[in-house]
Amino acid sequence: MPMKKRTMALVLAALMLLGLGLTACSGTGSSGGAATTASGPAKIPPAKITMFMGTAGIAIPEGVDIADNPYINKLQELANVEITELTVPPYADFATRLTLMLSSNTIPDLVHCWQTAEINKAGAAGAFQNWEPLVRNSATLSSIYNDEMLNLMRHSDNNIYTLRTLAAPDPGAIGVRWDLIKEINDSVIPQTVDEWYAVFVKLKKAYPDSVPVSDFNGLGSSVSSFFRAYGAQPPGWQYTFGEYIHCFEAAHMKDALLFIKKLYDEGLLSKTFVTNTQQ
């Protein structure tokens, strides 16, 4: 039996977009101008919505209420919504709980997950609304998602049931030893690739047995911060200047590789960075 088409599916969604998706789900979104009063714009009551979401597998700290904490409350304020029911299954059980939820008659207004195939299948069966009208009618979303992106999210029935998140321009960072920065660089944090290189050289000179840059996960961890400085984002594909390219097509990828090679040849980069594991 097809489920009611009343829910939006948000796959790996940035929660800052909640207000744009949730108000449309609950039917409280406005298609015209904002109401006004003698004292200015009238305040629109928050839309009441239910939500099913996943985490990155990080344990919730003891004493933190997942449904009532400063972060989720701030998101509700920014989005002008009130989450009346928030379901957050344990990470290990998430796939099972998602399947059970999809087979039930109590699908929440917003689903946040990473199981694209399951959501598309349920959407085609009538469980989820099509995101495309919302995206195109939203000044914010339409400025983020272009036609090419929408087409990549499109299901075989031509609808978009999963709104994929876009990576932040620079989602990663390097962890550094502040005590060493204070000791060998007068407490000055380097700002450029060349400045970082100079600090690595100072560190190696002060501590010959040290390895200034260590890493795991090959090109996909802290070493990638240096690649990004050259406009390359290994491994895989990246969105650059309005088009999708492979990272090795980036204009300055050769310069990035030469810089990494210099670190490696001078003993400034762990010799086993490609095969290191997180453990």
Side-chain angles (χ1 to χ4, degrees), residues 185-205:
N185 208 49
D186 298 324
S187 300
V188 177
I189 296 290
Q191 299 297 311
T192 68
V193 169
D194 290 337
E195 290 176 0
W196 276 112
Y197 171 74
V199 168
F200 299 153
V201 171
K202 288 181 183 179
L203 179 61
K204 192 69 174 178
K205 183 177 180 180

Side-chain angles (χ1 to χ4, degrees), residues 5-271:
K5 187 179 290 186
R6 62 180 183 82
T7 306
M8 305 298 286
L10 188 64
V11 171
L12 288 178
L15 291 182
M16 292 302 287
L17 298 180
L18 284 180
L20 303 167
L22 295 177
T23 52
C25 300
S26 61
T28 58
S30 172
S31 59
T36 59
T37 65
S39 58
K43 185 176 181 180
I44 301 175
K48 297 182 183 295
I49 58 98
T50 56
M51 184 174 178
F52 182 100
M53 67 173 287
T55 70
I58 301 173
I60 305 300
E62 186 177 350
V64 172
D65 182 352
I66 189 65
D68 183 14
N69 60 73
Y71 303 100
I72 198 74
N73 293 341
K74 184 62 177 179
L75 289 170
Q76 291 183 87
E77 176 191 336
L78 293 171
N80 195 32
V81 298
E82 179 185 344
I83 302 176
T84 58
E85 182 180 341
L86 178 62
T87 303
V88 187
Y91 185 76
D93 300 329
F94 187 82
T96 300
R97 292 283 297 276
L98 177 68
T99 300
L100 292 172
M101 182 271 291
L102 290 176
S103 64
S104 73
N105 290 319
T106 56
I107 298 178
D109 297 309
L110 188 71
V111 176
H112 163 269
C113 67
W114 46 94
Q115 283 81 359
T116 306
E118 289 87 339
I119 295 298
N120 280 335
K121 181 180 178 180
F128 299 111
Q129 291 185 37
N130 180 8
W131 271 100
E132 187 165 10
L134 175 67
V135 173
R136 294 198 182 279
N137 291 325
S138 164
T140 300
L141 288 176
S142 62
S143 69
I144 298 173
Y145 294 94
N146 60 28
D147 287 343
E148 183 180 8
M149 296 177 188
L150 292 176
N151 287 332
L152 287 170
M153 295 184 287
R154 203 175 297 283
H155 187 48
S156 57
D157 64 1
N158 208 38
N159 289 326
I160 298 171
Y161 302 114
T162 60
L163 185 66
R164 320 289 175 83
T165 347
L166 302 178
D170 186 8
I174 301 175
V176 299
R177 285 274 301 275
W178 174 239
D179 58 329
L180 293 174
I181 294 293
K182 290 194 295 184
E183 177 186 343
I184 66 175
N185 208 49
D186 298 324
S187 300
V188 177
I189 296 290
Q191 299 297 311
T192 68
V193 169
D194 290 337
E195 290 176 0
W196 276 112
Y197 171 74
V199 168
F200 299 153
V201 171
K202 288 181 183 179
L203 179 61
K204 192 69 174 178
K205 183 177 180 180
Y207 299 97
D209 294 333
S210 67
V211 180
V213 184
S214 60
D215 207 344
F216 68 93
N217 194 28
L219 303 181
S221 191
S222 59
V223 165
S224 67
S225 296
F226 294 109
F227 279 98
R228 288 196 296 273
Y230 288 93
Q233 300 178 41
W237 297 83
Q238 63 186 68
Y239 189 73
T240 301
F241 298 125
E243 62 178 348
Y244 285 97
I245 64 172
H246 194 273
C247 63
F248 281 94
E249 296 179 278
H252 299 286
M253 173 56 100
K254 182 177 180 180
D255 296 325
L257 289 169
L258 289 174
F259 177 76
I260 298 300
K261 183 178 185 299
K262 179 168 70 170
L263 296 181
Y264 187 87
D265 291 344
E266 296 182 17
L268 304 177
L269 173 63
S270 169
K271 295 294 185 183

